[in-house]
């Protein structure tokens, strides 16, 4: 039941991950914006069934302990994260695995499931969106200034990053994610959803302050057979 913590080189960066359990079903946990395996998935690393599952939680490049490099947000940052995530699991010798992604990690998981269908067993996403609307941009700008965040949310991230990196990276994220709104339909990965063939479960928090419910409904409508 112990949790190991290690780094492995993938696509030219040293990615940090935590691993626990010895089950035959491998599962990758994908954190949200600014998150890491530890900050976003502490309870899952501790409590998921370790006989059934082998659980891996990763820190995407520039997040958590996968620094350096510093986090940046080029136009393809979600595709880059999806490739990093899949290549990490392959480097760890998992032939097939499931994805549990939340927020940005949910978007990354959707892209990975669409682009690497032979590798993905099952998919669970929550707080994810396949496009960015002008309404979303307004919401994102509301969190641009981290000094306005609640202490509960802010504290673990400030402890992990220090105030300056945290504040700077949050601003860069708002700019990076908002740039999708300039594309037609605000598209992030809408055209990829019909390519997802694995069993998919979509969860949405009714009080999610960042992602309106219509995003979850859109994803469910466009992934065949999803629940």
């Amino acid at each position: 039941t112990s949790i190991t913590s290690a780094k492995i080189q993938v696509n030219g960066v040293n990615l940090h991950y935590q691993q626990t359990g010895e089950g035959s079903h491998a599962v990758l946990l994908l954190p949200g914006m600014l998150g890491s395996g530890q900050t976003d998935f502490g309870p899952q690393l501790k409590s998921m069934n370790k006989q059934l599952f082998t659980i891996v939680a990763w820190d995407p490049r520039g997040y958590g302990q996968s620094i350096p490099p510093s986090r940046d947000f080029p136009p393809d940052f979600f595709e880059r994260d999806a490739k990093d995530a899949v290549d990490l699991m392959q480097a760890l010798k998992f032939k097939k695995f499931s994805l549990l992604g939340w927020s940005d990690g949910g978007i990354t998981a959707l892209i990975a499931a669409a682009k690497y269908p032979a590798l993905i067993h099952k998919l669970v996403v929550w707080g994810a969106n396949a496009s960015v609307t002008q309404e979303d941009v307004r919401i994102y700008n509301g969190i641009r200034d981290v000094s306005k965040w609640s202490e509960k949310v802010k504290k673990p991230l400030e402890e992990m990053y220090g105030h300056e990196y945290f504040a700077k990276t949050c601003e860069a994220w708002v700019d990076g994610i908002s740039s999708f709104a300039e594309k037609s339909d605000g598209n992030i990965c809408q055209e990829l959803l019909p390519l997802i063939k694995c069993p998919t479960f979509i969860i949405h928090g009714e009080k999610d302050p960042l992602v309106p419910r219509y995003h979850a409904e859109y994803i469910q409508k466009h992934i065949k057979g999803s629940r």
Side-chain angles (χ1 to χ4, degrees), residues 20 27 33 52 70 76 107 116 124 140 165 178 181 188 200 202:
T20 187
V27 174
M33 170 265 268
L52 285 180
S70 292
D76 67 342
I107 301 172
Y116 310 95
V124 181
Y140 300 148
Y165 187 91
S178 297
I188 302 175
T200 300
I202 297 139

Side-chain angles (χ1 to χ4, degrees), residues 34-55:
L34 284 162
S36 66
Q38 190 53 52
T39 53
D40 289 13
F41 294 114
Q44 287 78 6
L45 283 163
K46 193 169 154 230
S47 307
M48 274 179 78
N49 186 318
K50 300 188 182 188
Q51 277 69 53
L52 285 180
F53 302 110
T54 296
I55 302 136

Side-chain angles (χ1 to χ4, degrees), residues 75-122:
D76 67 342
F77 74 90
F78 283 119
E79 278 84 3
R80 182 180 67 182
D81 282 349
K83 183 167 169 40
D84 282 349
V86 166
D87 291 351
L88 167 73
M89 291 300 276
Q90 293 203 292
L92 296 175
K93 305 282 187 273
F94 294 108
K95 292 198 169 39
K96 203 162 181 176
F97 45 92
S98 293
L99 302 172
L100 272 70
W102 114 265
S103 178
D104 275 15
I107 301 172
T108 300
L110 292 169
I111 294 169
K115 289 194 160 181
Y116 310 95
L119 301 174
I120 310 305
H121 183 40
K122 293 182 175 183

